[in-house]
Amino acid sequence: MQDLIKKAGQVKLLVMDVDGILSNGQIIYDANGVETKAFSVYDGVGVKSLARYGILTAIITGRSSSMVDKRATEIGVDYIVQGRDDKLVALNELLASLDPALHITAADCAYMGDDLPDIKAMQTVGFAATVPNAQAEVINRSDMVTTRAGGTGAVREVCDLILKGHGHYQDFIAHYTLDEVKNQDDLS
C-alpha cells in the first residue's frame, strides 16, 4: 500500500472516464429518448477535495452528453473532453493544451478507466486505476483496483489515495470533523 500511496503522491492531474467510472456504466433512456445517468455524491466530494489542494481533474469520454457537462461543472472538473473514441490521442491533446507553466506530463497523471478504449491511455500515465467490474484486460494493466464499483464512490477512493500521497488527507478530513489536524498523514 505504501508504494501505491507514494505513486499517488506524484499525481498532478486525475483523468476520468465517465461510463463505468463516474457512472455505473448504464445508459437509461426514458419514453421520449432522453438519456439519464446516475453519479455518486461521494465522487463529487472527492473531486472537489483535489481542487482544494491544487490537483487538477479532467474527463475524457467516448460519448457526448449534456449531463456530463452539468455534473463536471457542479463538481469543478477542470477539463472536459467528450466524443473521443481514441482516449490516448485525447489525453495527449489535453496535455499539449495545458499551460506549460503547470509542468504536467503523462507521468504526472492518474487515469481511471474500465474498458478496452481506456487501456492505451492508462498504460501511458504514471498511475492507472480501475473498478472491480472493469474488463479483465483493464484490471490486469492497472496499479489500483478500487473496492467500489463505478458510479458508487470508486473515484473517491482514488481521490483519497491521491490526498494521502500528497500529505493532505488528514487536513481534508479535519474540515469535516472536530478532530485535531495531525502534522503527518497516517500513511498506513
Side-chain angles (χ1 to χ4, degrees):
M1 182 62 142
Q2 293 291 17
D3 290 342
L4 210 51
I5 292 170
K6 184 177 179 182
K7 197 173 233 194
Q10 303 303 308
V11 173
K12 296 179 184 178
L13 171 66
L14 170 61
V15 181
M16 302 160 283
D17 182 24
V18 174
D19 296 318
I21 297 296
L22 281 167
S23 78
N24 66 6
Q26 294 180 328
I27 300 166
I28 302 167
Y29 295 102
D30 69 12
N32 298 317
V34 176
E35 181 181 325
T36 303
K37 296 180 190 283
F39 299 99
S40 170
V41 295
Y42 296 131
D43 293 340
V45 171
V47 169
K48 287 179 180 181
S49 74
L50 294 183
R52 178 179 297 190
Y53 297 101
I55 299 161
L56 301 173
T57 54
I59 286 173
I60 297 177
T61 180
R63 297 175 49 83
S64 294
S65 168
S66 60
M67 285 174 289
V68 171
D69 285 327
K70 180 174 177 48
R71 183 62 176 154
T73 299
E74 284 177 349
I75 63 176
V77 173
D78 298 293
Y79 308 99
I80 306 163
V81 180
Q82 295 196 65
R84 299 297 302 273
D85 291 328
D86 192 323
K87 307 282 184 82
L88 178 57
V89 170
L91 175 63
N92 287 332
E93 289 173 359
L94 172 65
L95 291 173
S97 74
L98 297 177
D99 182 343
L102 294 173
H103 303 289
I104 297 177
T105 67
D108 303 313
C109 296
Y111 189 104
M112 285 190 77
D114 69 314
D115 206 348
L116 301 178
D118 298 306
I119 291 176
K120 288 180 183 177
M122 293 174 76
Q123 290 178 309
T124 303
V125 299
F127 183 78
T130 193
V131 293
N133 56 318
Q135 292 296 308
E137 295 300 329
V138 176
I139 291 172
N140 293 339
R141 290 167 175 82
S142 295
D143 298 304
M144 175 186 184
V145 178
T146 61
T147 61
R148 292 180 179 242
T152 65
V155 171
R156 174 67 174 277
E157 288 183 39
V158 173
C159 292
D160 287 353
L161 190 72
I162 291 169
L163 291 179
K164 287 177 183 179
H166 282 269
H168 299 306
Y169 184 73
Q170 291 301 326
D171 180 66
F172 167 63
I173 296 301
H175 283 85
Y176 300 98
T177 69
L178 298 176
D179 302 342
E180 292 182 33
V181 178
K182 297 178 184 177
N183 289 333
Q184 178 75 356
D185 271 343
D186 178 14
L187 298 179
S188 56

